[in-house]
Amino acid sequence: MNAPIAHFNGKLLPLDQISISPLDRGFIFGDGVYEVIPVYAGTPLRAREHFERLQRSMDEIRLTNPHTVVEWMKLTEELLRHHPGDQAVYIQVTRGAPQKRDHVIPKGLQPTVFMMSNPMTTPSREAVENGVACVTSRDFRWEKCHVKSTSLLGNVLARQISADAGATETILFRDGHLTEASSSNVFVVKKGAVAAPPRDNLILMGITYDLVMQLAREGAVKLETRPVTEAEVRAADEIWLSSSTKEVLAVTTLDGKPVGPGKPGPIFRRMHQLYQEHKAKAAKAKVAA
Ligand code: PDD
């Protein structure tokens, strides 16, 4: 089988013809940032917002963006010509490959740009209808979780806790408060009202998190962003995960105990429906809505 086409430093190449220097700071230090953009029937969802977040991540790590948002959108379009249907586009930009290993950020280095696209698997009907299991852990990551950095060891180790338990995600608490999960944002529902942790340096500002906020506003679902305690999570009627590839997903067991009645709740079902409608409308309009 032919290797899929990917983008590397301005060129479209088969994936197996791309090689990266062992001195690349992405490899040596995890010195890079990334994005994952969901694509429905060839149309990226919220591409502009993803590239704006990429810009913010680069600003945070003092990396000069090699492309404008418009250029990024064009590169995505070119890559997607080789990848029809529902896809997840992955974009990574690292600091580049200097002559020697040194922690100090080198000046004038050309960043390394890599993009690939893979068929996207959204949650199964079974997962949507029955919800998924999650476990919890202390949030042992760093204090710049708002940067979508490729330094993901903390997230990898957090995710492995749930993988070992046969669960879908690890929900994280820092100092008695909910932050997020290893690769998703988290919402809780109590007595019909949705709450999510505020946008700060302790969570990634999810593009899906933002879309859920917008859909809640438009759909008259009560939602507020505020600190959420661990006790509130454990006593919630509903818990949801959100991410570009998970969309919105109900959590029906937490650390082996049922969440509410142990079934996806009515507010989840409403939000899931709003999300599916939005997605279908965006794909039909052929715009990155
Ligand atoms: N993860 N929080 C973390 C730590 C994440 O890694 C992600 C996304 C999110 C949700 O963000 P968004 O809604 O923009 O996808 C929250 C991606 C999908 C990943 O690393 O594969």
Side-chain angles (χ1 to χ4, degrees):
M1 218 178 83
N2 290 341
I5 297 294
H7 172 117
F8 181 58
N9 290 342
K11 292 197 184 80
L12 286 173
L13 293 166
L15 193 57
D16 59 2
Q17 286 177 31
I18 294 173
S19 54
I20 293 170
S21 164
L23 284 174
D24 194 286
R25 288 177 64 98
F27 178 61
I28 297 279
F29 295 118
D31 185 355
V33 291
Y34 77 106
E35 277 297 327
V36 178
I37 307 179
V39 177
Y40 295 100
T43 304
L45 187 67
R46 307 239 141 175
R48 176 169 292 280
E49 286 80 354
H50 279 275
F51 287 121
E52 285 170 358
R53 183 173 65 183
L54 186 65
Q55 179 68 59
R56 291 196 296 278
S57 293
M58 286 193 200
D59 291 345
E60 285 285 339
I61 73 160
R62 299 160 66 172
L63 178 58
T64 305
N65 195 336
H67 298 297
T68 63
V69 169
V70 172
E71 285 168 358
W72 279 118
M73 308 253 273
K74 196 157 164 275
L75 294 175
T76 305
E77 220 178 276
E78 284 167 7
L79 178 64
L80 284 174
R81 281 193 204 124
H82 300 268
H83 299 273
D86 290 0
Q87 295 280 314
V89 175
Y90 176 84
I91 298 121
Q92 172 166 345
V93 186
T94 78
R95 185 99 47 199
Q99 298 294 317
K100 63 180 179 64
R101 179 182 180 275
D102 181 353
H103 285 64
V104 178
I105 297 175
K107 286 200 175 79
L109 203 59
Q110 191 60 35
T112 304
V113 175
F114 172 64
M115 301 169 74
M116 64 178 169
S117 187
N118 290 292
M120 178 168 59
T121 27
T122 48
S124 65
R125 178 192 279 263
E126 205 273 326
V128 172
E129 282 174 7
N130 296 323
V132 296
C134 285
V135 297
T136 62
S137 167
R138 186 169 64 82
D139 192 343
F140 43 71
R141 301 172 304 157
W142 68 335
E143 291 182 0
K144 287 182 186 281
C145 296
H146 61 303
V147 180
K148 200 161 171 66
S149 161
T150 57
S151 308
L152 283 173
L153 191 52
N155 301 63
V156 166
L157 293 176
R159 174 66 184 101
Q160 195 57 35
I161 296 169
S162 45
D164 289 346
T168 297
E169 257 289 23
T170 309
I171 293 179
L172 303 170
F173 300 117
R174 195 189 284 254
D175 301 326
H177 285 87
L178 170 67
T179 52
E180 56 181 343
S182 74
S183 63
S184 337
N185 291 110
V186 180
F187 297 78
V188 296
V189 181
K190 190 75 185 178
K191 295 193 171 77
V194 190
R199 301 148 203 267
D200 60 17
N201 60 311
L202 300 180
I203 67 166
L204 182 75
M205 241 207 57
I207 304 301
T208 322
Y209 164 106
D210 260 350
L211 180 53
V212 166
M213 308 261 164
Q214 180 191 319
L215 295 175
R217 269 195 308 275
E218 292 169 1
V221 175
K222 216 165 123 191
L223 191 155
E224 55 175 355
T225 54
R226 58 168 176 81
V228 176
T229 66
E230 177 171 345
E232 281 183 87
V233 176
R234 298 202 182 277
D237 297 334
E238 301 183 20
I239 303 175
W240 313 340
L241 301 172
S242 80
S243 86
S244 293
T245 48
K246 292 188 193 79
E247 306 184 335
V248 261
L249 198 54
V251 178
T252 43
T253 72
L254 189 66
D255 292 334
K257 297 194 188 81
V259 176
K263 289 227 138 266
I267 318 287
F268 166 77
R269 290 203 305 273
R270 169 98 178 111
M271 182 50 69
H272 187 263
Q273 186 197 356
L274 291 169
Y275 195 93
Q276 297 308 312
E277 285 169 7
H278 178 85
K279 210 175 94 173
K281 219 165 42 192
K284 213 162 142 206
K286 288 264 166 233
V287 290

